[in-house]
Amino acid sequence: MNWDKDRSVSLSLACVGIFALCLAALDIGAYKIAEWFVANRFQHIRHGVLLMVSIYAGSVFGWICLYQLWRLLNNVRLGKVFITENVRSMRIVSWCCVWASVIGLLSAAYYLPFAFIAVAAGFMALIVRIVKNAFQQAIEMKDELDLTV
Amino acid sequence: MEIVVNLDVMMATRKISSNELAERIGITAANLSILKTGKAKAIRFSTLMALCHELQCQPGDILEFKE
């Protein structure tokens, strides 16, 4: 199979689409999930409400994150890689991960496994932030190179 | 303080157009314009050498340091 750059970006865009579908399913099925958890794990209706709050609060940042990734990938597909708009997108993604991590930490108070999500989101925020810093540096270098005759 | 590019002065003295000079030294007219307008952040030795060769001048005739 002839695998090129464009197909790779298309695959990434498809993955973003799949994640968007999963997130939409999570939003739609949040009530059912909470109901199941109350019946099988929590034994208390209050925790079910808290779970729904966690899901919807996390979902907001999930949607923002996916939208920014979509924009980023579209720019990459158009050949606009080292531009400030992409750095801005990555900064937003990084902050979304930080806030998802905070929500995970708070949610760990009533359901401990959320702590794993908090750590994963925090680590993801760190990775995206480092890549963003590298992009910033690359933009400066590209500007200099573009103006070297 | 800054480095001023006096390329337009040298080109006027030698009576050579931008397009002709760009073609002779092997860079695009757009890049020569960047150099002429002082927007360039750096100049390659090879470009400077080609400019000096075509304009029959020294690097100091093209570049000038101003306080």
Side-chain angles (χ1 to χ4, degrees):
Chain A
M1 188 178 174
N2 188 16
W3 195 254
D4 58 19
K5 174 172 74 77
D6 289 335
R7 283 188 181 175
S8 181
V9 174
S10 298
L11 176 67
S12 302
L13 279 168
C15 290
V16 170
I18 290 166
F19 270 97
L21 285 175
C22 291
L23 194 58
L26 185 71
D27 286 344
I28 293 164
Y31 180 77
K32 286 281 172 199
I33 293 166
E35 206 175 48
W36 185 86
F37 262 81
V38 168
N40 298 287
R41 291 272 197 277
F42 298 149
Q43 312 293 330
H44 203 293
I45 192 82
R46 188 168 56 91
H47 288 155
V49 174
L50 284 172
L51 180 66
M52 282 186 72
V53 170
S54 297
I55 289 173
Y56 285 124
S59 168
V60 171
F61 295 109
W63 282 116
I64 295 170
C65 208
L66 286 173
Y67 173 67
Q68 292 300 330
L69 286 175
W70 184 267
R71 283 182 60 171
L72 183 67
L73 284 167
N74 272 313
N75 280 337
V76 170
R77 189 159 63 172
L78 294 171
K80 295 187 279 185
V81 183
F82 298 112
I83 56 172
T84 46
E85 191 188 327
N86 289 351
V87 172
R88 187 176 164 272
S89 288
M90 277 190 275
R91 187 184 297 121
I92 293 170
V93 168
S94 175
W95 277 110
C96 283
C97 290
V98 169
W99 284 110
S101 179
V102 170
I103 291 166
L105 271 179
L106 294 173
S107 305
Y110 68 87
Y111 188 56
L112 196 60
F114 272 120
F116 291 109
I117 293 175
V119 172
F123 192 65
M124 185 59 76
L126 181 66
I127 291 170
V128 175
R129 193 162 180 79
I130 290 167
V131 173
K132 185 211 78 171
N133 290 341
F135 257 66
Q136 264 176 327
Q137 190 81 22
I139 287 169
E140 282 173 26
M141 287 167 73
K142 186 182 173 290
D143 283 349
E144 202 163 294
L145 195 67
D146 284 348
L147 292 173
T148 297
V149 181
Chain B
M1 55 186 176
E2 59 177 344
I3 297 286
V4 179
V5 182
N6 292 321
L7 194 58
D8 45 355
V9 177
M10 286 307 296
M11 283 168 65
T13 311
R14 300 291 187 265
K15 293 185 175 62
I16 186 168
S17 70
S18 293
N19 285 336
E20 193 184 344
L21 183 62
E23 199 177 318
R24 279 194 198 176
I25 63 172
I27 64 169
T28 62
N31 274 343
L32 190 67
S33 172
I34 288 171
L35 196 58
K36 268 176 68 181
T37 52
K39 287 178 187 166
K41 286 192 175 179
I43 180 166
R44 291 189 186 91
F45 276 147
S46 57
T47 309
L48 190 59
M49 199 164 65
L51 280 171
C52 290
H53 178 75
E54 287 302 327
L55 298 172
Q56 289 297 300
C57 63
Q58 292 298 313
D61 298 328
I62 298 170
L63 304 174
E64 184 189 350
F65 173 70
K66 273 190 180 170
E67 286 285 357

